[in-house]
Amino acid sequence: MGLSENVTQHFRSSELPFLRQASDWLEQAQTEYRPILTDFLNARERYLLTTLVNRQPELHIQMDGGYPQAEMQRALLFPEYFNPMSSDFELALLEINYPVKFATLEHRQVLGSLMGSGIERNVLGDIITDGTRWQLITKREIAPYLQQTVIEMGRTKVKLEPRSFTELLQVQDDAQAVHTTLPSLRLDVVIATLFRVSRAVAKDLVTRGKVRLNWFTYDKPDYELALHDLVSVRGLGRIKLNENDGFSKKGKIKAEFDVIKNK
């Protein structure tokens, strides 16, 4: 299928590798006339993939990450004849069994231990908690490996136990929709505006590796955010760009963000 310049000119150069991978998925679904299941994708990647699929009327796309608001979801590309079921997304739910009375877990410990097992981030979905219990969503085929390999998180002994999705913890959406105007969508400008810190502080957070963009540490303060980018700032919270509504009369960018501030 390939990517035309007409398509690539609308996206960032850093996104071209993913767009080429997405184009290969579409070509495979078309030439083999069968459904193609992706790894877990973040919101920006799902947006890019959906943009490509919408250019192919004979293909359809559906997402599932275990629950409707999941930040990481697998995508299924399929021809007209196929009717997707939840089982087609090949998801598994694992609960972390640990001595609750004597230990506590943090998200960074959980993710760090999982990544330390040698897996890639895209085989993991969301990590969710109610403050005490912890669960994680993963690809079905990788679940047995994680159960055998991950036996400690920090200094805490753990055991990963399979659960039915009927036992999924209740996920609360604490995001608040914020409409604002900004001089630009630079990473440091967005952080400073939405978390009410100075530009100098925001820039310092980025350059010192305290900021993650779409799950990966990013240290360039002048990075221009695009739709569905997810920004996590250590100690402050998370931001997702939902809408870019053009410019105000004073020439500022009008945008809507989902914001979760650390409590």
Side-chain angles (χ1 to χ4, degrees):
M1 180 183 296
L3 289 171
S4 67
E5 184 177 345
N6 185 45
V7 173
T8 59
Q9 67 179 338
H10 299 293
F11 303 107
R12 300 176 290 209
S13 58
S14 61
E15 295 173 332
L16 292 182
F18 176 79
L19 288 166
R20 294 189 186 98
Q21 173 66 78
S23 180
D24 289 343
W25 288 332
L26 267 64
E27 183 173 7
Q28 189 177 6
Q30 288 179 318
T31 57
E32 299 179 13
Y33 200 56
R34 66 178 181 89
I36 298 297
L37 181 63
T38 74
D39 292 329
F40 286 95
L41 308 176
N42 61 48
R44 177 63 182 174
E45 290 169 335
R46 298 196 300 274
Y47 169 74
L48 296 176
L49 180 58
T50 301
T51 300
L52 295 185
V53 172
N54 288 342
R55 295 170 175 264
Q56 308 297 326
E58 68 276 19
L59 284 182
H60 303 274
I61 186 170
Q62 195 165 310
M63 320 279 193
D64 195 345
Y67 62 102
Q69 300 82 26
E71 291 181 351
M72 301 291 286
Q73 300 184 28
R74 302 187 78 176
L76 190 69
L77 312 175
F78 55 94
E80 188 71 39
Y81 75 88
F82 190 79
N83 293 312
M85 301 175 62
S86 58
S87 59
D88 293 318
F89 291 88
E90 300 179 8
L91 302 175
L93 177 65
L94 298 175
E95 181 152 351
I96 303 171
N97 186 327
Y98 71 104
V100 176
K101 292 183 178 181
F102 306 104
T104 58
L105 293 178
E106 297 181 1
H107 187 279
R108 60 181 178 84
Q109 290 177 313
V110 175
L111 181 59
S113 297
L114 293 169
M115 298 302 295
S117 70
I119 61 173
E120 297 291 333
R121 181 63 181 89
N122 57 15
V123 306
L124 285 177
D126 284 12
I127 299 169
I128 58 180
T129 182
D130 63 2
T132 302
R133 295 173 61 193
W134 288 81
Q135 295 178 340
L136 60 108
I137 299 167
T138 185
K139 293 170 69 171
R140 186 189 300 159
E141 66 265 30
I142 207 71
Y145 171 79
L146 292 176
Q147 288 179 261
Q148 294 176 2
T149 308
V150 180
I151 58 175
E152 281 187 332
M153 292 183 175
R155 297 182 177 180
T156 303
K157 297 290 185 182
V158 302
K159 184 178 181 181
L160 302 185
E161 299 178 341
R163 294 286 186 267
S164 164
F165 275 92
T166 59
E167 301 174 84
L168 184 73
L169 293 175
Q170 189 70 31
V171 180
Q172 294 183 341
D173 185 3
D174 296 325
Q176 178 182 6
V178 176
H179 299 264
T180 189
T181 59
L182 312 92
S184 78
L185 290 174
R186 279 177 52 125
L187 186 56
D188 56 351
V189 170
V190 171
I191 291 172
T193 301
L194 293 174
F195 289 124
R196 299 184 182 277
V197 298
S198 70
R199 278 280 298 279
V201 168
K203 184 175 181 179
D204 187 58
L205 287 167
V206 179
T207 56
R208 289 196 296 121
K210 305 295 185 181
V211 174
R212 293 171 70 86
L213 175 66
N214 295 328
W215 301 99
F216 296 97
T217 301
Y218 203 83
D219 61 0
K220 300 292 189 296
D222 60 350
Y223 190 86
E224 291 281 334
L225 294 188
L227 283 177
H228 307 294
D229 274 343
L230 178 66
V231 178
S232 300
V233 185
R234 190 181 304 174
L236 294 179
R238 294 186 298 172
I239 302 165
K240 187 173 79 169
L241 175 58
N242 285 336
E243 293 182 17
N244 183 341
D245 297 325
F247 294 91
S248 68
K249 292 180 180 179
K250 294 184 178 180
K252 289 191 174 183
I253 296 172
K254 298 187 294 183
E256 178 191 296
F257 297 86
D258 275 346
V259 180
I260 300 178
K261 293 183 179 180
N262 287 356
K263 298 178 180 179

